[in-house]
C-alpha cells in the first residue's frame, strides 16, 4: 500500500485530534450535564441558602453522576401535624449555617446545602431506609456516603458551630458561623442594672441590703445549681430538648449515653440538686435554730426525706447513663 504524503497524513491526524472520537464526545456531554447542574444549583442557592428538594431533584442533582460538588442534606419533618419540635430547632441552626456559607466571601460551588421534608420527599426516605428525623447526611463529590458522612446528632447536638466542624471534617470547607444579633443578653443586663440603680435610688443612703448574706447566698446557690446541672454544656453543644422514638412514640428526657444529654435532662438534674440542697438547709436550720423542739423535729424529718428521695433519684439517673454502675439507693 502506497504511503500517504506527509501533508495529507498531518491533516488526517489533526482531524482525528479535533474530533476526539466517541470518548471525547461522551466527556463533553458529561461536562455539559455537570455545568447545567451546577448552574441550576447556583441559581437556587442565590435565592435561598437551603435548597428545598423533592425526590426528582434529589435523584437528578445529588444521586446521579456526574457531580464535582458535595451536598449537605437535612432530612426533616417540619409540617405542623408531624409535631417534630426538634426538627424546627435543628432547622433554625441549619439555616444559620447555610446563610453563613452563602454570604461568606469564600462562597463557591464546591458545596451546597439542601433540605428534604418527609411530606415532600417520602420516596427518598424509603430509598435510604431512613425512619427518623432530623438527620444530616453529606453526599460527597466522589463516591457514596460513608459512615462518617452521617452526622451524630444525639452526640454532638445540632448547634450551627458543631455542624460547621462536621462539614469541615467531611468536605474541607471551613465555615465561620455568623449568628444574627441577639439582644436578649444586653437587654437582661440593662434590666438588671436598672433594677439595681432603682433600688439604690429608692433606698438612698441605706445600702444595708447590699450586705445581706442570705440574698448573696441564694444568688450564688442558683448560679452553682445552674452550672452543675449542665446549662453551659447546653449553651455550647445545643442539644435537643428531648427525643421522641419514631417507632413507639415514647419521649425520652434522659439521654442513654454518658457522652451526651438533653436540655430536659439538665432541668431534671437541676430540680434534684435543688431538692438535696433544700434538705441540707433544713437539716442545718433544725440543728442551729432557736425554734421550739417540735418544729425542729419536723424540719429534721423533712430535710432527711428530701435528701434521701432526691439523692436516690439522682443516683438512678446516673445509673441510666453509666451502664454497669453497680450501686443504687431505694430506686434502681
Amino acid at each position: 500500500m502506497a504511503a500517504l504524503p506527509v501533508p495529507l497524513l498531518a491533516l488526517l491526524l489533526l482531524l482525528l485530534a479535533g474530533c476526539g472520537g466517541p470518548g471525547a464526545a461522551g466527556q463533553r456531554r458529561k461536562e455539559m450535564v455537570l455545568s447545567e447542574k451546577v448552574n441550576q444549583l447556583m441559581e437556587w442557592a442565590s435565592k435561598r441558602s437551603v435548597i428545598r428538594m423533592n425526590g426528582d431533584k434529589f435523584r437528578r442533582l445529588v444521586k446521579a453522576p456526574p457531580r464535582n460538588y458535595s451536598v449537605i442534606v437535612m432530612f426533616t419533618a417540619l409540617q405542623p401535624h408531624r409535631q417534630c419540635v426538634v426538627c424546627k430547632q435543628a432547622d433554625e441552626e441549619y439555616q444559620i449555617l447555610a446563610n453563613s456559607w452563602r454570604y461568606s466571601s469564600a462562597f463557591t460551588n464546591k458545596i451546597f446545602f439542601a433540605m428534604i421534608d418527609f411530606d415532600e420527599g417520602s420516596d427518598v426516605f424509603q430509598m435510604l431506609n431512613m425512619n427518623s428525623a432530623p438527620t444530616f447526611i453529606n453526599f460527597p463529590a466522589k463516591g457514596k456516603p460513608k459512615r462518617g458522612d452521617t452526622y451524630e446528632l444525639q452526640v454532638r447536638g445540632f448547634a450551627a458551630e458543631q455542624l460547621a466542624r462536621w462539614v469541615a471534617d467531611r468536605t474541607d470547607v471551613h465555615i465561620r458561623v455568623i449568628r444574627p444579633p441577639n439582644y436578649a443578653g444586653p437587654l437582661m443586663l440593662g434590666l438588671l442594672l436598672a433594677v439595681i440603680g432603682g433600688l439604690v435610688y429608692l433606698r438612698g443612703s441605706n445600702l444595708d441590703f447590699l450586705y445581706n448574706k442570705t440574698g448573696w447566698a441564694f444568688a450564688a446557690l442558683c448560679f452553682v445549681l445552674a452550672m452543675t446541672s449542665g446549662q453551659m454544656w447546653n449553651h455550647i453543644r445545643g442539644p435537643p430538648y428531648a427525643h421522641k422514638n419514631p417507632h413507639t412514640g415514647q419521649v425520652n428526657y434522659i439521654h442513654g449515653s454518658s457522652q451526651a444529654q438533653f436540655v430536659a435532662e439538665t432541668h431534671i438534674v437541676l430540680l434534684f440538686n435543688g431538692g438535696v440542697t433544700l434538705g441540707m438547709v433544713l437539716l442545718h436550720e433544725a440543728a442551729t435554730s432557736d425554734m421550739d423542739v417540735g418544729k425542729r423535729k419536723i424540719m429534721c424529718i423533712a430535710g432527711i426525706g428530701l435528701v434521701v428521695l432526691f439523692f436516690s433519684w439522682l443516683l438512678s439517673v446516673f445509673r441510666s447513663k453509666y451502664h454497669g454502675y453497680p450501686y443504687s439507693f431505694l430506686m434502681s
Side-chain angles (χ1 to χ4, degrees), residues 109-125:
N109 58 10
K110 186 178 180 181
I111 182 175
F112 296 96
F113 292 88
M115 174 192 300
I116 297 180
D117 193 282
F118 180 80
D119 292 282
E120 299 173 1
S122 58
D123 54 334
V124 180
F125 279 74

Side-chain angles (χ1 to χ4, degrees), residues 3 40 45 47 64 69 112 119 129 153 159 163 168 172 176 178 180 186 191 214 220 261 293 297 305 309 321 324:
Q40 181 68 83
K47 299 176 182 178
Y69 51 84
F112 296 96
D119 292 282
N129 294 321
L153 180 67
L163 288 169
D172 290 329
R176 180 173 174 266
I178 301 176
L191 180 61
T214 303
Q261 67 183 20
V293 178
K297 286 182 178 180
L309 180 63
K321 297 180 69 66

Side-chain angles (χ1 to χ4, degrees), residues 89-101 157-165 175-183 234-239:
Q89 297 172 344
D91 177 61
E92 294 176 359
E93 294 295 313
Y94 191 56
Q95 295 287 345
I96 291 174
L97 175 64
N99 286 327
S100 299
W101 170 241
F158 48 71
E161 291 78 8
Q162 291 296 324
L163 288 169
R165 294 189 186 99
I175 303 174
R176 180 173 174 266
V177 175
I178 301 176
R179 292 183 173 275
N182 185 357
Y183 300 103
N234 291 343
H235 180 73
I236 295 172
R237 295 294 186 92

